[in-house]
Amino acid sequence: MFFQAFFIFSLLFLSSDAAVLDFCVGDLSVPDGPGGYACKKPSAVTANDFVFSGLATPVKLNPLIKAAVTPAFAPQFPGLNGLGISMARLDLAIGGVIPMHTHPGASEVLYVVTGEICAGFISSSDNKVFFKNLKQGDIMVFPQGLLHFQINSGKTTGLAIVSFSSPTPGLQITDFALFANDLATELVQATTFLDAATIKKLKGVLGGTN
Amino acid sequence: MFFQAFFIFSLLFLSSDAAVLDFCVGDLSVPDGPGGYACKKPSAVTANDFVFSGLATPVKLNPLIKAAVTPAFAPQFPGLNGLGISMARLDLAIGGVIPMHTHPGASEVLYVVTGEICAGFISSSDNKVFFKNLKQGDIMVFPQGLLHFQINSGKTTGLAIVSFSSPTPGLQITDFALFANDLATELVQATTFLDAATIKKLKGVLGGTN
Amino acid sequence: MFFQAFFIFSLLFLSSDAAVLDFCVGDLSVPDGPGGYACKKPSAVTANDFVFSGLATPVKLNPLIKAAVTPAFAPQFPGLNGLGISMARLDLAIGGVIPMHTHPGASEVLYVVTGEICAGFISSSDNKVFFKNLKQGDIMVFPQGLLHFQINSGKTTGLAIVSFSSPTPGLQITDFALFANDLATELVQATTFLDAATIKKLKGVLGGTN
Amino acid sequence: MFFQAFFIFSLLFLSSDAAVLDFCVGDLSVPDGPGGYACKKPSAVTANDFVFSGLATPVKLNPLIKAAVTPAFAPQFPGLNGLGISMARLDLAIGGVIPMHTHPGASEVLYVVTGEICAGFISSSDNKVFFKNLKQGDIMVFPQGLLHFQINSGKTTGLAIVSFSSPTPGLQITDFALFANDLATELVQATTFLDAATIKKLKGVLGGTN
Amino acid sequence: MFFQAFFIFSLLFLSSDAAVLDFCVGDLSVPDGPGGYACKKPSAVTANDFVFSGLATPVKLNPLIKAAVTPAFAPQFPGLNGLGISMARLDLAIGGVIPMHTHPGASEVLYVVTGEICAGFISSSDNKVFFKNLKQGDIMVFPQGLLHFQINSGKTTGLAIVSFSSPTPGLQITDFALFANDLATELVQATTFLDAATIKKLKGVLGGTN
Amino acid sequence: MFFQAFFIFSLLFLSSDAAVLDFCVGDLSVPDGPGGYACKKPSAVTANDFVFSGLATPVKLNPLIKAAVTPAFAPQFPGLNGLGISMARLDLAIGGVIPMHTHPGASEVLYVVTGEICAGFISSSDNKVFFKNLKQGDIMVFPQGLLHFQINSGKTTGLAIVSFSSPTPGLQITDFALFANDLATELVQATTFLDAATIKKLKGVLGGTN
């Protein structure tokens, strides 16, 4: 009898058109909105939607920077959609570097899994640099939108896990933004004070034109 | 001459009462507000304010649950204040368990550093359980405010790093909330359907009274 | 002439593809997103979309708890979609109880329409219980995500109206989350310290399996 | 032994400078910020801070409008501070009216406790009026910032409880804003198209000057 | 070789289903949600989506108010969708007036491009009027949701650019809301204390009925 | 009599400790919090707090960039505190340039008051450049946190007014962040791929050391 009673009560929140969703697993196949992707049909959601194994192994390192960034943002891990958080994995070989970059829409916390990493950011108000050599287990926070970098400062491979205050933090690597596109050399020159030769050399390295 | 010119330009954003802050390192000595702690004086902020080493080593495990949670929330790591993110470290000995709990104000992502962890959460709309056995390097997301748990499901010590979508996520362990205080046994009984003997036993274990 | 003049001016904000919407009545027939349901076509919206009569009469009480919760959340009352607020009605017969529960995404204010209600919540930081006997006309606030309960403490039927800081606050009743699903008894045991017999009994009452 | 073990574990979250607050009861004696009042010292907070009895009885009705609004906003009920919600009580004698007004910072839901109330709002995009006669138990939502009104449309006293999506919704009664201050008649005339005589008459009624 | 290396690295963030969007140009052809319009397909977005020329020339002035408002809100300028900001142009002939109005969902800053403008707003807490005569180049802020107005107080045409803290601020002109619709004269009378003759006259001017 | 009646009603919202504030003019003399400055005492606030004349005249141009940025952010114009918006003035002599920069916490809309300005931004997802030549009266939006620039592309002085979706948008000029501080040349080199000579030259120009 108790069973029946509760079953009735419970039904209140079970009818398919009435349930308040606790999550909104992203459906990448329909248009997204300013707040994220549309929600996958709840009945099709399984535990697998909330688990992501893409950070378990590093991607191939980029030989120039001897490093790699593997994102677990909403587009890769749609279970994060709408939940205000995401992760990424940083692999840094000896001498590896994650170049100067920003995340336009999120703050970041970095945790050193193995190795030693010199990390820092630059404030906008007075261009002051805040950096420190991080040991295994240390964490560091990088405030939203500010230029920052990570360098392997140890004698072994470095591995770090970083977390962001948004499921879609974005990643703008300054060198790529300036040199890996068709922005005219004159415009880069006028807006950065670099000379044309330097710009053209970096455009060559990074695949930019013009 | 260039130096001088830029110096003037730069001054615009350097005067001490005019600079827009990029961060707000918490000052725990003055009253906080709904959005977090008041900001430490910018001139006193150093790189150390953005780095926290308290997750580098586990705290002593709790023998009952064979596990420990070490938080790096704004009160422990004031550099996170206002930045929408925080971290914690989970240590689980063989057989260790982080009991059913919620974070009232944040979603969580868990990254398995070492070992094997069975983790899950329970939806509110239909009490459906989403859980999975996570291997090293896997990540899992726990939507805001829902009951969830982590169990060492492997044959070695487990270590996980979790990140939250708030600098002050809170942590409400259901057993502690129900049994580790002076809430009268009759009230616990009335609101949980547990019998008085069970409640009194758990109050005994967890230090509750009444 | 004045009419014409203003008519022209007014037209600026009347063309169907240009008007800024003041509301977004939910259309439950298309996929929702993290911020709520897609908006019903404005031309189809009427005053009825902003009025809900479902709280005017109680649903049948649940005999076990001698109480009922009737939600007016966005799924039941789509006019609330996107407006940051919702309501529900609590009916408590003599001896009735709304068991320990949380709302994962909202704070709550309760207003006692009739009767006397003992209500309380448990803080997460120190497991402190805040509870009080409320008389007719009293209001009480329950901070976001914390465990709380309501008990009819009077000698008459109790009626309360509660309001939430979200159109989709969710409702997770701890007993249902733990015992009204297929979560294995061993997992419940490991994560709650309840013994297997207690768990199996409550699973029996609440319709759980395993 | 278990007690001891858990006690240690528990201490993690109990030290006075480390606990994450679940609430921020407003301290009206120190300056507030854009997000609300500074928090009262947690150790001084009691259950009474979360309960408010000021809505239990109506204030004296205003004879002109035969109605009264009794707010339970953060300044009256500091326990709401930072929690995104508030309430108010509307009393309407027979023929009573809550005049045209807006809440600059919140949406509103109204619940009819007793009586019959004609309530409506005006959209900004096309000046369309949405209004309806509400019976006991009906609820109606008023989207943020839009002009709305409530009129006792029944043959008995009316009582309504309204809830807002902010602890500080504000209340701007159009007539008071226009006529109950020292805004020069010429300025009111120029910005409302009312004639000077009408303005001066209403200024007289509402206590305005100039 | 460097080129190749970076190219591989870069690919990570280039695959069409994986890129985090930096913007969400509104697609007005599909249903919108509470947070704004659905996003236009990124591959179809061009620089033109971020530029709007509709403020470059004034619309025809309204002869009654000798003024015009030209909005650049998300419906007119979909590139603003989701970005938390919008603009509008105010043209005021000599003697021109933007009548009392509110923006239900946004604060506003006004910049005087040419001329002299008397602008003010009315606080809700005490009906206090804050107004000032603004000269060319002055800026003034109008807090969210409060009644405000602008009057050409100079001897030349006035031009102002206003900016809002939302892509969809809304605009509710009090006179239009009260008199340019079919809200019954009796209801307007009851909720504004204006007499029937005044109301009917203004309804006549503004195109209202009933 | 009417006067008295309303006066009583009005008093409800006038008592000094009960009024809900419509604004929070920043008090720069006490510590700020993550949401902005503490509020100036309401009784001391005047219309002047909401008006700022600092954009009415340009500051001295910087000879190197032949341009100047004059901010009206919360530190300069405390009336904006908490209101989600701010402004700035851009002056560009013939050939003037606002170098590559970001605003870490805000989107921006630019309005061309006089002259012709070539403005653009770079997306983070694929380094695509969106730029256009803007004529007088054109507006352009720059999504939050992305690198962007403005160049005088006309034959006359250029003047633009920009508005931000935050009272404290910040401004990080890439060249200043990299070269106008004491960040070691080796670190700049490692994180930007620029050669040491280029770095040292720019440090010389911009006042950097190391």
Side-chain angles (χ1 to χ4, degrees):
Chain A
M1 191 208 77
F2 277 170
F3 174 94
Q4 259 183 316
F6 262 82
F7 196 66
I8 288 161
F9 180 60
S10 170
L11 277 178
L12 242 175
F13 301 94
L14 281 172
S15 63
S16 68
D17 64 343
V20 165
L21 286 186
D22 301 308
F23 41 75
C24 173
V25 176
D27 178 349
L28 306 191
S29 71
V30 293
D32 48 352
Y37 296 103
C39 309
K40 190 174 171 176
K41 224 173 114 182
S43 59
V45 170
T46 71
N48 289 331
D49 284 303
F50 302 104
V51 178
F52 182 68
S53 296
L55 303 193
T57 46
V59 296
K60 199 171 175 305
L61 296 199
N62 175 302
L64 180 57
I65 59 169
K66 295 176 185 154
V69 178
T70 312
F73 299 168
Q76 292 83 34
F77 181 15
L80 297 171
N81 190 44
L83 296 181
I85 199 163
S86 60
M87 273 196 169
R89 169 189 177 121
L90 308 186
D91 287 277
L92 298 116
I94 297 172
V97 175
I98 310 294
M100 280 285 176
H101 64 283
T102 62
H103 304 286
S107 290
E108 171 182 345
V109 182
L110 177 151
Y111 170 82
V112 181
V113 182
T114 56
E116 211 172 300
I117 292 174
C118 172
F121 69 87
I122 304 169
S123 83
S124 77
S125 56
D126 56 3
N127 303 310
K128 193 172 169 186
V129 189
F130 296 90
F131 73 103
K132 203 167 172 188
N133 211 40
L134 308 172
K135 312 270 180 173
Q136 183 172 322
D138 284 350
I139 67 176
M140 181 167 182
V141 63
F142 306 91
Q144 174 168 338
L146 297 181
L147 279 167
H148 60 289
F149 61 89
Q150 289 99 8
I151 299 181
N152 188 333
S153 53
K155 297 179 173 171
T156 63
T157 292
L159 171 61
I161 287 296
V162 291
S163 187
F164 301 93
S165 62
S166 162
T168 53
L171 167 58
Q172 183 161 55
I173 301 176
T174 308
D175 265 20
F176 277 73
L178 297 178
F179 308 119
N181 50 32
D182 59 1
L183 184 58
T185 296
E186 296 74 37
L187 283 178
V188 181
Q189 197 173 355
T191 57
T192 64
F193 304 112
L194 297 173
D195 57 82
T198 297
I199 294 166
K200 281 179 186 299
K201 194 180 70 182
L202 283 163
K203 275 181 174 279
V205 173
L206 296 170
T209 55
N210 285 338
Chain B
M1 192 207 78
F2 277 171
F3 175 94
Q4 259 183 314
F6 262 83
F7 196 64
I8 289 162
F9 180 61
S10 173
L11 277 179
L12 244 174
F13 300 93
L14 283 172
S15 63
S16 68
D17 66 342
V20 166
L21 285 187
D22 302 307
F23 41 74
C24 173
V25 176
D27 177 348
L28 306 191
S29 71
V30 294
D32 49 351
Y37 296 103
C39 310
K40 190 173 170 177
K41 221 173 115 185
S43 59
V45 171
T46 71
N48 288 333
D49 285 301
F50 302 104
V51 178
F52 182 67
S53 296
L55 303 192
T57 46
V59 296
K60 200 171 175 306
L61 295 200
N62 176 304
L64 181 58
I65 58 169
K66 296 177 186 151
V69 178
T70 313
F73 299 168
Q76 292 84 33
F77 182 14
L80 297 170
N81 190 44
L83 296 182
I85 199 162
S86 61
M87 275 196 168
R89 169 188 177 122
L90 308 185
D91 286 276
L92 299 116
I94 297 172
V97 175
I98 310 294
M100 281 286 177
H101 64 284
T102 61
H103 305 288
S107 291
E108 171 182 344
V109 182
L110 176 150
Y111 170 82
V112 181
V113 181
T114 56
E116 211 172 299
I117 292 174
C118 172
F121 69 87
I122 305 169
S123 84
S124 78
S125 56
D126 55 5
N127 303 309
K128 193 171 169 185
V129 189
F130 296 90
F131 72 104
K132 205 166 170 186
N133 211 39
L134 308 173
K135 312 272 179 169
Q136 182 172 325
D138 284 350
I139 67 176
M140 181 166 184
V141 64
F142 306 90
Q144 175 167 339
L146 298 181
L147 279 167
H148 61 288
F149 62 90
Q150 289 99 8
I151 299 180
N152 187 336
S153 54
K155 297 177 174 171
T156 63
T157 292
L159 172 61
I161 286 297
V162 293
S163 187
F164 301 93
S165 62
S166 164
T168 53
L171 166 60
Q172 185 162 54
I173 300 177
T174 308
D175 264 21
F176 277 74
L178 297 178
F179 309 119
N181 49 32
D182 60 1
L183 184 58
T185 296
E186 296 74 38
L187 282 179
V188 181
Q189 199 173 353
T191 56
T192 64
F193 304 112
L194 296 174
D195 56 80
T198 297
I199 293 165
K200 281 179 186 300
K201 195 180 70 182
L202 284 163
K203 275 181 173 282
V205 173
L206 297 170
T209 55
N210 286 337
Chain C
M1 194 208 76
F2 276 171
F3 175 95
Q4 258 184 316
F6 262 83
F7 197 65
I8 289 162
F9 180 60
S10 171
L11 277 179
L12 244 173
F13 300 94
L14 283 172
S15 63
S16 68
D17 64 342
V20 165
L21 287 186
D22 300 308
F23 41 73
C24 174
V25 176
D27 177 350
L28 306 191
S29 70
V30 295
D32 49 351
Y37 296 103
C39 309
K40 191 173 169 178
K41 224 173 112 185
S43 58
V45 171
T46 71
N48 290 332
D49 285 302
F50 301 105
V51 178
F52 182 67
S53 295
L55 302 193
T57 46
V59 296
K60 199 172 176 307
L61 295 200
N62 176 304
L64 182 57
I65 59 169
K66 296 176 186 152
V69 179
T70 312
F73 299 168
Q76 291 84 32
F77 182 14
L80 297 171
N81 190 45
L83 295 182
I85 199 161
S86 61
M87 274 196 169
R89 170 189 176 120
L90 308 186
D91 287 277
L92 298 117
I94 296 171
V97 175
I98 310 294
M100 281 285 177
H101 64 281
T102 60
H103 305 286
S107 291
E108 171 182 344
V109 181
L110 176 150
Y111 169 83
V112 181
V113 181
T114 57
E116 211 172 300
I117 292 174
C118 173
F121 69 87
I122 306 168
S123 83
S124 78
S125 55
D126 54 6
N127 303 308
K128 192 172 170 186
V129 189
F130 296 90
F131 73 104
K132 202 165 172 189
N133 212 40
L134 307 173
K135 312 272 179 170
Q136 184 173 322
D138 283 350
I139 66 176
M140 180 168 183
V141 63
F142 306 91
Q144 176 168 336
L146 297 181
L147 278 167
H148 60 290
F149 61 90
Q150 288 98 9
I151 299 181
N152 188 335
S153 54
K155 296 178 174 173
T156 63
T157 292
L159 171 60
I161 286 296
V162 292
S163 187
F164 301 95
S165 62
S166 162
T168 53
L171 167 59
Q172 183 160 57
I173 300 176
T174 309
D175 265 21
F176 276 74
L178 296 178
F179 308 119
N181 49 32
D182 59 0
L183 183 59
T185 296
E186 296 75 37
L187 283 178
V188 180
Q189 198 173 356
T191 57
T192 63
F193 303 113
L194 297 173
D195 57 82
T198 297
I199 294 165
K200 281 180 187 298
K201 194 181 71 183
L202 283 163
K203 275 180 172 281
V205 172
L206 297 170
T209 56
N210 285 337
Chain D
M1 190 206 79
F2 277 171
F3 175 94
Q4 259 184 316
F6 262 82
F7 197 65
I8 288 161
F9 180 61
S10 172
L11 275 178
L12 244 173
F13 301 93
L14 283 172
S15 62
S16 68
D17 65 342
V20 166
L21 287 187
D22 301 308
F23 42 75
C24 174
V25 176
D27 178 348
L28 306 192
S29 71
V30 293
D32 49 351
Y37 296 103
C39 309
K40 191 174 170 176
K41 222 173 117 187
S43 59
V45 171
T46 72
N48 289 333
D49 285 302
F50 301 105
V51 178
F52 181 68
S53 296
L55 303 193
T57 46
V59 295
K60 200 170 176 307
L61 295 199
N62 176 305
L64 180 58
I65 59 168
K66 297 176 186 154
V69 179
T70 313
F73 299 169
Q76 292 84 32
F77 182 13
L80 298 170
N81 189 45
L83 296 182
I85 199 161
S86 61
M87 274 197 169
R89 169 190 176 119
L90 308 186
D91 286 277
L92 298 116
I94 297 172
V97 175
I98 310 293
M100 282 285 177
H101 64 283
T102 61
H103 305 287
S107 291
E108 171 182 345
V109 182
L110 176 150
Y111 169 83
V112 181
V113 180
T114 57
E116 214 173 297
I117 292 174
C118 173
F121 69 87
I122 305 169
S123 83
S124 77
S125 56
D126 54 6
N127 302 310
K128 193 172 169 184
V129 189
F130 296 90
F131 72 104
K132 204 168 171 184
N133 210 40
L134 307 173
K135 313 269 181 174
Q136 184 172 322
D138 284 350
I139 66 175
M140 180 167 183
V141 64
F142 306 90
Q144 173 167 340
L146 297 181
L147 278 167
H148 60 289
F149 62 91
Q150 287 99 9
I151 298 180
N152 187 337
S153 53
K155 297 177 175 173
T156 63
T157 291
L159 172 60
I161 286 297
V162 293
S163 187
F164 301 94
S165 61
S166 163
T168 52
L171 166 60
Q172 184 162 54
I173 300 177
T174 308
D175 265 21
F176 277 73
L178 297 178
F179 308 118
N181 49 32
D182 59 0
L183 184 57
T185 296
E186 297 73 39
L187 282 179
V188 181
Q189 197 173 356
T191 57
T192 64
F193 304 112
L194 296 173
D195 56 82
T198 298
I199 294 164
K200 281 180 187 297
K201 194 180 70 183
L202 285 163
K203 275 181 174 280
V205 173
L206 297 170
T209 54
N210 285 338
Chain E
M1 191 207 76
F2 276 171
F3 174 94
Q4 260 184 315
F6 262 83
F7 196 65
I8 289 162
F9 180 60
S10 172
L11 276 178
L12 244 173
F13 301 94
L14 283 171
S15 64
S16 68
D17 64 342
V20 165
L21 286 187
D22 301 306
F23 42 74
C24 174
V25 176
D27 178 350
L28 305 191
S29 70
V30 295
D32 49 351
Y37 297 102
C39 309
K40 191 173 170 177
K41 222 173 115 185
S43 59
V45 171
T46 71
N48 289 331
D49 285 302
F50 301 105
V51 177
F52 182 67
S53 296
L55 303 193
T57 46
V59 296
K60 201 172 174 307
L61 295 200
N62 176 303
L64 181 57
I65 58 169
K66 296 177 187 152
V69 179
T70 312
F73 299 169
Q76 291 83 34
F77 182 14
L80 297 171
N81 190 45
L83 296 182
I85 199 162
S86 61
M87 274 196 170
R89 169 189 177 121
L90 309 186
D91 287 277
L92 298 117
I94 297 173
V97 175
I98 310 294
M100 281 285 176
H101 64 283
T102 62
H103 305 286
S107 291
E108 170 183 344
V109 182
L110 177 149
Y111 170 82
V112 181
V113 182
T114 57
E116 212 172 298
I117 292 174
C118 172
F121 68 87
I122 305 169
S123 83
S124 78
S125 56
D126 55 5
N127 303 309
K128 192 171 169 186
V129 189
F130 296 91
F131 73 103
K132 204 168 171 185
N133 211 41
L134 308 173
K135 312 271 179 171
Q136 183 172 323
D138 283 350
I139 67 176
M140 181 168 182
V141 63
F142 307 90
Q144 175 168 338
L146 298 181
L147 279 167
H148 60 289
F149 61 90
Q150 288 99 9
I151 299 180
N152 187 335
S153 53
K155 297 179 173 171
T156 63
T157 292
L159 171 61
I161 285 299
V162 292
S163 187
F164 301 95
S165 62
S166 162
T168 53
L171 167 60
Q172 184 161 55
I173 300 176
T174 308
D175 265 20
F176 277 73
L178 296 179
F179 308 118
N181 50 32
D182 59 1
L183 184 57
T185 296
E186 296 74 38
L187 283 178
V188 181
Q189 198 174 355
T191 57
T192 63
F193 304 112
L194 296 174
D195 57 82
T198 298
I199 294 165
K200 281 181 188 296
K201 194 179 72 182
L202 283 164
K203 274 181 174 280
V205 173
L206 297 170
T209 55
N210 285 337
Chain F
M1 191 206 80
F2 276 171
F3 174 95
Q4 259 184 315
F6 262 83
F7 196 65
I8 288 161
F9 180 60
S10 171
L11 276 178
L12 245 173
F13 301 92
L14 281 173
S15 63
S16 69
D17 66 341
V20 166
L21 287 186
D22 302 306
F23 42 76
C24 174
V25 176
D27 177 349
L28 306 191
S29 71
V30 295
D32 48 350
Y37 296 102
C39 309
K40 190 173 170 177
K41 223 174 114 185
S43 59
V45 171
T46 70
N48 288 333
D49 285 304
F50 302 105
V51 177
F52 181 67
S53 296
L55 303 192
T57 46
V59 296
K60 199 170 175 308
L61 296 200
N62 175 304
L64 181 57
I65 59 169
K66 295 176 186 153
V69 178
T70 312
F73 299 169
Q76 291 83 34
F77 182 14
L80 298 170
N81 189 44
L83 296 181
I85 199 161
S86 61
M87 276 197 168
R89 169 190 177 120
L90 308 186
D91 286 276
L92 298 117
I94 298 173
V97 174
I98 311 293
M100 282 285 178
H101 64 283
T102 61
H103 305 287
S107 291
E108 170 182 346
V109 182
L110 176 151
Y111 169 82
V112 181
V113 181
T114 56
E116 211 172 300
I117 292 174
C118 173
F121 70 86
I122 305 168
S123 82
S124 77
S125 56
D126 55 5
N127 303 310
K128 193 172 169 185
V129 188
F130 295 90
F131 72 104
K132 203 166 171 187
N133 211 40
L134 307 172
K135 313 271 180 171
Q136 182 173 324
D138 284 349
I139 67 175
M140 181 167 183
V141 62
F142 307 90
Q144 176 168 337
L146 298 181
L147 279 167
H148 61 290
F149 62 90
Q150 288 99 8
I151 298 180
N152 187 334
S153 54
K155 296 177 175 172
T156 62
T157 292
L159 171 62
I161 287 297
V162 293
S163 187
F164 300 94
S165 62
S166 163
T168 52
L171 166 60
Q172 185 162 54
I173 301 177
T174 309
D175 265 21
F176 277 73
L178 297 179
F179 307 119
N181 49 32
D182 60 0
L183 183 58
T185 296
E186 296 73 39
L187 282 178
V188 181
Q189 197 173 359
T191 57
T192 63
F193 304 113
L194 297 173
D195 56 82
T198 297
I199 294 165
K200 281 179 187 298
K201 194 180 71 183
L202 283 163
K203 275 181 175 279
V205 173
L206 298 170
T209 54
N210 285 339

